[in-house]
């Protein structure tokens, strides 16, 4: 894990056009989905991220051939093992999506139980509940999940709570079962729908009605060719960068429908957002109006944009409220923002932000991926120099963010801590 950090001199208004990278969460799901078939799949528009590199390492460890040409991945998973490497799986919770392909290809899977992380305990009880309903035997031993799926079956299953990767796992496994599977209370994030598109290309029949999905799978799924959707969270982060620096930023390659709740919130905060010829324009305006926000499953306001908006609302004119309804511990960036002069009070899942006139540069520490992004945004606005440490968190989910911001006029440099 590298110890790079960012040095940011705040106060510059960002100006210019930036191309949004491919979606991290769609790429991860599709990289694992490629293992459902023995043939060679082609994935285009994959971002250069630590998490993506990890996922490729896991596939290679399992025996798949992976060829990376620019942002394209050619994956040939002819022969694969059934045991995921603990050291890599522990680093990335998305590895839980290895289970359906391993069950399909090998009849069994040995995967280390994903631990918690900075933002919460993040259990996978819903994933396991579906797997058992579909006929999978699940045991746990020494922190490992041992799953056996000799006779998989279609079923009717309702998620007790909406889960993105839980939905992805159920869609992947049911796509391999030649019976009807009815899933209810599914997640509808764009990354989930991108996976549905690919599973249909592979031969599964999937129809969605509200939060219910009917899946009729196929034993032999075909390989696929697919370009991942753009990353809506990177896009949202760049829009907030335009707003917080009172700049004028143009996003190329983002899909506005994926950002409805984010754009609506920016407009409520008195920021000017225009959609024109497939681009999204933002002009940061003063004052930034305070907001009441609560994070929800898509299409609600995304939890992955909460830290970024908290940075923006630190310099709003008045009191804002943010309720974090998805994760139980996703306010770790608050302590670091306080060090920059923010005035924030947290009680349970509610953060109350009293807007201040100024933020001041400080040395701050990243605690998780999106908190790291929030601190970078605060640094772009703050007076003076901000050091954002431990940005391996940032590199998990952003493709050279500092390069993109620099091209927009930010005074930002990456330093490597020796
Ligand atoms: C996905 O995580 C994303 N990761 C997260 O993005 C994102 O924050 C999250 O969805 C919510 O949108 C990937 O797609 C790889 P959940 P996931 O299962 O699937 C609880 C980022 O920044 N839950 O939808 O793990 C869980 O504890 C990352 O890119 C259960 O209780 O999230 C959480 O409170 C961070 N039991 C809530 O549901 C379960 O079996 C939502 O979790 C599963 C989840």
């Amino acid at each position: 894990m590298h110890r790079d950090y960012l040095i940011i001199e705040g106060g510059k208004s960002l100006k210019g056009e930036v191309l949004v990278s491919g979606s991290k969460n769609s790429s991860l799901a599709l990289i694992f989905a490629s293992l459902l078939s023995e043939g060679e799949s082609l994935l285009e528009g994959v971002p250069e991220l630590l998490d993506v590199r990890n996922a490729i390492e896991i596939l290679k460890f399992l025996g798949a051939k992976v060829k990376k040409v620019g942002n394209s991945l050619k994956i040939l998973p002819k022969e694969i093992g059934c045991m995921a490497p603990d050291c890599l799986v522990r680093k990335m919770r998305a590895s839980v999506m290895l289970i359906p392909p391993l069950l399909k290809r090998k009849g069994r899977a040995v995967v280390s139980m994903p631990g918690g992380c900075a933002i919460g305990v993040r259990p996978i009880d819903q994933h396991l509940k579906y797997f058992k309903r579909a006929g999978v035997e699940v045991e746990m031993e020494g922190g490992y999940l041992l799953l056996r799926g000799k006779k998989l079956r279609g079923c009717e299953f309702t998620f007790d709570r909406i889960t993105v990767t839980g939905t992805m796992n159920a869609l992947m496994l049911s796509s391999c079962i030649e019976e009807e599977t009815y899933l209810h209370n599914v997640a509808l994030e764009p990354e989930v729908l991108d996976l549905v598109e690919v599973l249909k290309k592979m031969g599964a029949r999937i129809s969605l009605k509200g939060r219910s999905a009917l899946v009729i799978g196929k034993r032999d799924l075909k390989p696929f060719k697919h370009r991942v959707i753009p990353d809506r969270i990177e896009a949202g982060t760049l829009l907030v960068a335009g707003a917080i620096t009172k700049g004028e930023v143009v996003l190329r390659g983002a899909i506005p429908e994926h950002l409805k709740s984010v754009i609506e919130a920016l407009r409520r905060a008195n920021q000017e957002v225009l959609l024109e010829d497939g681009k999204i324009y933002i002009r940061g305006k003063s004052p930034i109006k305070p907001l009441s926000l609560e994070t929800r499953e898509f299409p609600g306001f995304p939890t992955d944009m909460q830290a970024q908006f908290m940075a923006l609302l630190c310099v709003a004119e008045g009191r804002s409220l943010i309720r974090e309804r998805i994760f139980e511990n996703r306010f770790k960036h608050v302590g670091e923002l306080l060090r920059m002069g923010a005035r924030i009070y947290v009680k349970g899942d509610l953060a109350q932000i009293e807007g201040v006139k100024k933020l001041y540069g400080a040395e701050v520490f990243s605690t998780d991926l999106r908190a790291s992004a929030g601190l970078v945004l605060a640094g772009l606005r703050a007076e003076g120099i901000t050091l954002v440490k431990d940005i391996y968190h940032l590199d998990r989910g952003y493709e050279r963010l500092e390069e993109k911001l620099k091209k927009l006029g930010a005074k930002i440099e990456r330093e490597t801590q020796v």
Side-chain angles (χ1 to χ4, degrees):
M1 175 186 343
H2 68 65
R3 308 292 300 178
D4 290 6
Y5 61 96
L6 293 177
I7 302 175
I8 304 168
E9 183 189 334
K12 308 276 173 278
S13 287
L14 301 190
K15 278 193 179 26
E17 182 166 304
V18 61
L19 177 65
V20 175
S21 298
S23 160
K24 162 175 94 78
N25 293 343
S26 181
S27 300
L28 294 174
L30 299 180
I31 286 170
F32 293 127
S34 72
L35 299 179
L36 292 167
S37 162
E38 291 186 6
E40 179 174 271
S41 290
L42 175 65
L43 206 42
E44 294 174 319
V46 178
E48 300 256 356
L49 302 173
L50 283 182
D51 275 9
V52 168
R53 225 172 292 156
N54 254 340
I56 294 170
E57 282 314 301
I58 291 172
L59 261 62
K60 287 181 175 170
F61 179 96
L62 288 168
K65 293 206 176 6
V66 185
K67 194 161 177 303
K68 185 175 174 318
V69 181
N71 286 97
S72 296
L73 290 182
K74 270 191 185 160
I75 302 170
L76 180 57
K78 200 111 190 68
E79 299 297 328
I80 56 169
C82 72
M83 181 155 180
D86 186 34
C87 55
L88 290 172
V89 168
R90 293 279 298 164
K91 264 194 227 169
M92 190 177 66
R93 326 176 30 72
S95 320
V96 70
M97 290 190 279
L98 272 169
I99 293 172
L102 294 181
L103 286 173
K104 145 96 189 137
R105 298 282 301 279
K106 312 300 287 179
R108 58 197 282 266
V110 181
V111 182
S112 96
M113 189 67 184
C117 77
I119 60 179
V121 171
R122 300 185 73 179
I124 56 166
D125 57 296
Q126 296 299 307
H127 301 236
L128 302 180
K129 194 173 171 187
Y130 163 71
F131 288 143
K132 287 175 188 163
R133 184 72 61 80
V136 179
E137 291 152 35
V138 180
E139 284 167 56
M140 202 179 315
E141 200 180 290
Y144 277 83
L145 277 171
L146 314 170
L147 302 104
R148 204 175 290 280
K150 289 287 172 244
K151 182 80 192 75
L152 299 175
R153 57 177 181 256
C155 64
E156 178 137 24
F157 179 80
T158 301
F159 286 96
D160 299 325
R161 74 174 291 174
I162 295 169
T163 155
V164 172
T165 47
T167 301
M168 290 173 163
N169 265 345
L171 287 168
M172 281 198 268
L173 191 64
S174 58
S175 291
C176 310
I177 300 169
E178 291 196 336
E179 299 172 5
E180 291 187 347
T181 300
Y182 283 94
L183 301 171
H184 304 293
N185 204 23
V186 300
L188 295 172
E189 269 67 3
E191 298 76 39
V192 173
L193 302 186
D194 209 24
L195 174 63
V196 167
E197 281 319 297
V198 164
L199 291 169
K200 285 158 86 169
K201 285 183 182 178
M202 297 180 85
R205 279 182 289 156
I206 303 174
S207 52
L208 280 170
K209 195 162 179 305
R211 285 194 184 274
S212 290
L214 167 59
V215 183
I216 304 174
K218 265 189 80 174
R219 267 187 57 75
D220 299 324
L221 291 171
K222 301 192 297 281
F224 61 86
K225 182 171 179 298
H226 188 76
R227 173 169 288 278
V228 301
I229 53 172
D231 195 302
R232 62 193 168 98
I233 305 301
E234 185 198 41
T237 306
L238 291 165
L239 288 176
V240 175
I244 202 168
T245 61
K246 290 182 261 186
E248 296 185 27
V249 171
V250 185
L251 291 195
R252 214 159 24 92
I255 300 178
E257 293 75 63
H258 294 172
L259 284 153
K260 269 203 181 118
S261 60
V262 171
I263 291 170
E264 189 269 332
L266 284 167
R267 284 174 171 157
R268 271 194 293 128
N270 184 39
Q271 300 309 295
E272 193 177 319
V273 183
L274 297 173
L275 307 180
E276 237 166 65
D277 50 318
K279 295 180 183 175
I280 307 178
Y281 296 72
I282 184 156
R283 194 151 69 86
K285 288 173 64 193
S286 279
I288 295 167
K289 287 226 178 83
L291 295 177
S292 262
L293 281 175
E294 59 177 47
T295 64
R296 284 280 186 197
E297 297 87 359
F298 193 89
F301 185 84
T303 174
D304 292 348
M305 283 299 302
Q306 181 255 105
Q308 297 91 315
F309 264 73
M310 188 176 286
L312 179 69
L313 296 172
C314 283
V315 287
E317 193 173 79
R319 170 179 298 174
S320 297
L321 294 174
I322 297 183
R323 194 177 291 281
E324 172 53 65
R325 285 183 172 279
I326 303 293
F327 289 108
E328 72 271 22
N329 188 23
R330 202 171 197 176
F331 285 142
K332 311 261 298 184
H333 38 287
V334 168
E336 299 305 301
L337 289 168
L338 294 179
R339 291 168 47 77
M340 299 177 74
R343 284 178 52 213
I344 308 168
Y345 310 92
V346 170
K347 194 164 177 343
D349 67 355
L350 185 68
Q352 179 179 308
I353 303 119
E354 303 296 345
V356 294
K357 287 254 174 298
K358 267 194 180 154
L359 291 174
Y360 298 90
E363 180 183 52
V364 289
F365 285 82
S366 310
T367 49
D368 63 86
L369 161 54
R370 306 302 171 183
S372 195
L375 295 173
V376 170
L377 295 171
L380 292 174
R381 173 68 180 244
E383 188 179 277
I385 302 292
T386 297
L387 300 187
V388 181
K389 307 302 267 305
D390 292 346
I391 54 159
Y392 58 86
H393 289 289
L394 196 71
D395 293 340
R396 290 192 53 181
Y398 289 90
E399 187 173 30
R400 292 188 298 280
L401 183 63
E402 76 275 8
E403 296 304 320
K404 291 179 174 156
L405 293 173
K406 210 186 294 187
K407 261 178 62 183
L408 293 171
K411 299 227 352 140
I412 182 169
E413 291 301 333
R414 174 185 288 255
E415 292 289 327
T416 298
Q417 192 147 344
V418 287

